[in-house]
Amino acid sequence: MLTEYTTDSDSEFELFDMNTSESARLMSGQDGANGGGKYSINKKDESTGSPFGSVPSVGTNSTTAMVERQKTSRFVLILSFFSAIGGFLFGYDTGVVSGAMLLLKDQFKLTSIWQEIIVSVTIAFSAVFALIGGVLNDVFGRKLVTVLASLVFTGGAILLGVAQNTAMLVIGRGILGVGIGLASMTVPVYIAECAPFHLRGRFVTLNNLFITGGQFIASVIDGAFSYDKSNGWRWMLGLAAVPSAVQFIGFLFLPESPRWLIKKGKVSEAREILKRIRGSDDVERELASVQQSCLEDEAERKKEGGGSVLMKILRTPPVRRAVMVGCGLQLIQQLSGINTVMYYSATIIKMTGIRDQSTAIWLAAMTAGVNFVFTIVGVWLVERIGRRPLILSSLFGVMLSLAISAIGFQLAAVNAPPVTIHEMVAQNSSCYSYSNCESCIEDLDCGFCYLEVSSAVVNGSCLPTIRKDNDRSTMGTCHNSSLPASQIFSYGYCPSSYSWIVLLGLILYLMFFAPGMGPMPWTINSEIYPLWARSTGNALSAGTNWIFNLLVSISFLTLTETITKYGTYWLFVGIVFCGLLFIFFTLPETKGTSLEEVERLFETPLSKCCSSTNDYELPNTNR
């Protein structure tokens, strides 16, 4: 059965909850001397057994209805807020572990390996359950998965708050990873499917802002509880249960995604939910477009005979190139070292020679605040200067910032305080042979003992210590359990006057990273794949992000101990330089380009993709 619809050319035609290709399908066909347009779709009655219900007939919209449609209902704002709490939880967990780790290290006598395990177990579980979340979303819907994610996260946070040993910490962090993985896969999809078309980008970006906002709030809470050396970490980790519980309760009263309901054939329910979300009864055109999209996707799936989408991607050169670029962007984002900054910022600051834990945590909070503010700058810039200039300038700034931090660490190492006293009690230890603080602390069984007189370091000696109990030496001057205020034993860091250089590098790093390399890999990946490959392409790129997130976070402290702190940062500089070349030669500009045109940008070899859309002559799509 063929149904014909007409539109009035004098009014603006808004198609909500559709991408450009869906809009183009509905708008195909020009007609009439009066400039009116018409479009046709195959309509199936529910009696025919279509799983998507019958496609409704839609008449001409009135001006009043169109005005109502442009309004943002209060309901969609509430919906987006409760959804974005999932992003806040991800950001909070990323930020809170930085400060909590300093207290946990002392409380449980954690080695570097155990610190990396506690941080990385969350990422590992997030990676696994982000992939599992795709299947759960299709089967059970967005709402149920989000409720499950918030419930699991709440349980994990409570377990961490009452943890009595290292095993409970690891289990609790793993449970958090389950919740984060499910939420990271579900929340952006739910917001995108529910938000009005003209505000979709803004509402999806709200999730990214909540992530950086969560990191900042977590750092402030870290600072507030850092003075409680014995139980402060319990409050830091346990308070994450509060926002996750709020999301759990809120989502019990929120609706399912209309698109998922239509896909499952629950058209009447979807219609009522759309009316609530849009704040208008005029939802039939949007309903028709989503139904038509579902029908065409089902037809495409049957045409392909249910074959693997991944194999089709590999056989299709333009999509294969797009996946290479998309995964490359996510890989570069992680190998530029962002999560070493977010997970270990307080530890890194303490490595520079800042002795007081609370001071290090508050300085980490300042860096998280910079990250949040400059993420807002990125939202403002992306539609003004474009994706390609923003990400290239961002990555260039990141490279310079990492170089500044590397220089700061290297200057501190070269000018490390000398060992002026070789205590005879340590002559049978390897620590006895070291000549300065830097070489002393590179040995994990040694620490630097010194006397601080008017900010000057005197009477420095290298003494043996125990890795799990490294707040004093096992012998010599710093052996006493309670040292005088001026007598200091430093493990893993040296007193230095170059700390400000590393701190400057960290701040500049986040100022450059947050507007470009932070959100742009996700934004570009949402644009460069055709409809049939969009889910798989994004799953591949997201999987790349999580895998390299895990790789970097689990190896950072080990790298600093193996190739030194400045060597680790010079390694990041080299990786970012290679990433800068890759993006320069492969990434096209997608700003102001329809999804059909974006697909055609990858029909040329990757080395030609760096041209802007103005330089690359696209095939004529007005046929």
Side-chain angles (χ1 to χ4, degrees):
M1 180 177 180
L2 192 66
T3 304
E4 184 177 272
Y5 303 111
T6 61
T7 62
D8 187 352
S9 61
D10 293 331
S11 63
E12 183 179 356
F13 186 25
E14 289 286 347
L15 293 177
F16 293 88
D17 204 23
M18 291 188 299
N19 55 41
T20 307
S21 59
E22 289 171 330
S23 303
R25 286 198 297 268
L26 287 177
M27 292 298 291
S28 62
Q30 298 297 323
D31 172 78
N34 62 0
K38 68 181 181 181
Y39 60 97
S40 301
I41 61 176
N42 290 323
K43 176 179 177 182
K44 291 186 180 181
D45 296 325
E46 294 192 15
S47 59
T48 65
S50 168
F52 312 114
S54 61
V55 181
S57 175
V58 185
T60 303
N61 286 344
S62 66
T63 303
T64 302
M66 293 305 298
V67 171
E68 287 180 352
R69 223 169 167 169
Q70 295 291 340
K71 294 180 180 177
T72 304
S73 70
R74 183 180 303 174
F75 184 74
V76 78
L77 291 173
I78 295 173
L79 179 148
S80 298
F81 170 79
F82 278 101
S83 301
I85 291 176
F88 179 90
L89 294 174
F90 174 49
Y92 184 91
D93 177 76
T94 304
V96 80
V97 73
S98 170
M101 189 56 67
L102 293 181
L103 302 185
L104 289 171
K105 179 182 176 182
D106 292 341
Q107 182 79 12
F108 294 98
K109 308 302 179 185
L110 300 175
T111 64
S112 294
I113 296 297
W114 274 109
Q115 291 178 66
E116 290 171 339
I117 290 173
I118 290 172
V119 169
S120 302
V121 68
T122 302
I123 305 170
F125 274 83
S126 296
V128 172
F129 278 86
L131 297 174
I132 295 175
V135 178
L136 295 178
N137 268 267
D138 284 339
V139 176
F140 299 107
R142 295 24 167 161
K143 175 180 176 177
L144 184 59
V145 174
T146 305
V147 169
L148 176 63
S150 56
L151 182 62
V152 169
F153 194 98
T154 303
I158 293 173
L159 179 60
L160 286 171
V162 300
Q164 300 298 316
N165 50 52
T166 306
M168 291 181 71
L169 287 174
V170 173
I171 294 172
R173 294 280 299 166
I175 294 174
L176 287 189
V178 175
I180 291 172
L182 293 175
S184 68
M185 177 69 191
T186 308
V187 168
V189 174
Y190 182 77
I191 296 176
E193 291 183 345
C194 293
F197 181 81
H198 65 295
L199 295 174
R200 180 184 297 166
R202 189 174 301 170
F203 278 120
V204 173
T205 304
L206 180 68
N207 188 55
N208 291 329
L209 287 176
F210 268 55
I211 291 174
T212 55
Q215 291 168 341
F216 175 61
I217 296 298
S219 298
V220 172
I221 289 177
D222 279 351
F225 287 103
S226 63
Y227 303 100
D228 183 353
K229 304 300 181 184
S230 59
N231 292 308
W233 61 271
R234 295 187 186 276
W235 291 101
M236 296 175 188
L237 299 175
L239 281 175
V242 176
S244 59
V246 170
Q247 186 184 47
F248 172 76
I249 295 171
F251 252 83
L252 294 178
F253 301 96
L254 292 177
E256 181 54 81
S257 161
R259 182 182 288 272
W260 183 83
L261 289 172
I262 292 172
K263 185 177 180 180
K264 296 298 181 180
K266 301 177 181 180
V267 179
S268 298
E269 187 178 347
R271 180 183 289 109
E272 295 305 312
I273 290 172
L274 273 176
K275 289 178 181 179
R276 291 177 63 195
I277 293 174
R278 301 294 180 252
S280 169
D281 290 337
D282 182 32
V283 298
E284 296 305 320
R285 179 173 281 114
E286 180 176 4
L287 200 67
S289 70
V290 177
Q291 288 178 265
Q292 177 66 10
S293 176
C294 291
L295 288 169
E296 293 188 1
D297 287 348
E298 180 70 11
E300 179 70 19
R301 187 188 68 80
K302 291 180 179 179
K303 181 180 177 181
E304 292 293 326
S308 170
V309 175
L310 178 60
M311 293 306 299
K312 185 179 178 182
I313 288 175
L314 296 176
R315 292 193 300 265
T316 311
V319 184
R320 186 173 66 239
R321 295 184 190 111
V323 169
M324 289 175 62
V325 172
C327 292
L329 287 172
Q330 298 284 24
L331 181 149
I332 294 165
Q333 183 197 66
Q334 290 303 315
L335 292 185
S336 66
I338 179 57
N339 280 315
T340 65
V341 174
M342 300 317 300
Y343 292 132
Y344 298 111
S345 56
T347 301
I348 293 170
I349 291 170
K350 195 172 180 184
M351 285 177 182
T352 67
I354 294 176
R355 189 169 66 251
D356 183 67
Q357 287 185 342
S358 295
T359 302
I361 290 173
W362 279 116
L363 288 173
M366 181 180 68
T367 62
V370 170
N371 188 36
F372 175 64
V373 170
F374 279 85
T375 298
I376 299 174
V377 173
V379 174
W380 182 77
L381 285 175
V382 64
E383 295 299 341
R384 288 169 171 79
I385 68 173
R387 281 75 158 146
R388 178 177 160 84
L390 184 57
I391 201 169
L392 285 173
S393 59
S394 170
L395 199 56
F396 182 75
V398 163
M399 183 175 67
L400 293 181
S401 305
L402 288 169
I404 290 173
S405 292
I407 291 170
F409 276 122
Q410 195 157 5
L411 284 173
V414 171
N415 296 280
V419 172
T420 57
I421 298 177
H422 292 274
E423 301 192 27
M424 295 305 295
V425 293
Q427 62 181 333
N428 294 325
S429 164
S430 61
C431 308
Y432 187 77
S433 61
Y434 298 123
S435 61
N436 60 43
C437 177
E438 186 68 20
S439 58
C440 174
I441 65 169
E442 286 177 1
D443 187 331
L444 300 181
D445 294 318
C446 302
F448 187 68
C449 178
Y450 66 95
L451 192 66
E452 187 176 62
V453 180
S454 300
S455 299
V457 176
V458 297
N459 296 341
S461 60
C462 187
L463 298 172
T465 187
I466 300 174
R467 296 188 190 187
K468 290 187 177 182
D469 187 15
N470 51 46
D471 55 350
R472 60 193 178 99
S473 62
T474 56
M475 61 184 70
T477 306
C478 289
H479 176 56
N480 295 330
S481 57
S482 57
L483 298 174
S486 58
Q487 190 75 51
I488 299 164
F489 185 74
S490 65
Y491 180 82
Y493 71 93
C494 289
S496 174
S497 60
Y498 297 98
S499 303
W500 67 271
I501 299 178
V502 179
L503 185 59
L504 174 64
L506 287 178
I507 293 173
L508 289 175
Y509 177 95
L510 291 170
M511 288 173 63
F512 283 110
F513 185 92
M517 278 307 296
M520 285 307 101
W522 301 99
T523 300
I524 292 169
N525 268 284
S526 70
E527 299 173 329
I528 60 177
Y529 307 118
L531 182 61
W532 60 269
R534 195 159 298 148
S535 295
T536 303
N538 276 285
L540 290 172
S541 65
T544 301
N545 185 285
W546 281 113
I547 289 170
F548 283 91
N549 184 335
L550 175 63
L551 175 66
V552 171
S553 62
I554 202 171
S555 63
F556 174 67
L557 292 179
T558 302
L559 277 174
T560 62
E561 294 169 356
T562 305
I563 62 173
T564 72
K565 293 181 280 290
Y566 62 84
T568 301
Y569 273 81
W570 282 122
L571 175 63
F572 286 147
V573 170
I575 292 172
V576 170
F577 177 74
C578 295
L580 194 60
L581 293 178
F582 173 82
I583 292 175
F584 180 82
F585 287 109
T586 63
L587 180 66
E589 179 57 74
T590 59
K591 174 184 173 240
T593 306
S594 71
L595 292 180
E596 293 87 357
E597 291 172 336
V598 170
E599 294 171 25
R600 291 176 173 83
L601 290 175
F602 292 93
E603 289 180 353
T604 60
L606 285 179
S607 60
K608 296 181 181 180
C609 284
C610 58
S611 301
S612 67
T613 54
N614 294 328
D615 298 329
Y616 176 64
E617 184 178 352
L618 295 167
N620 183 15
T621 57
N622 296 323
R623 298 176 181 174

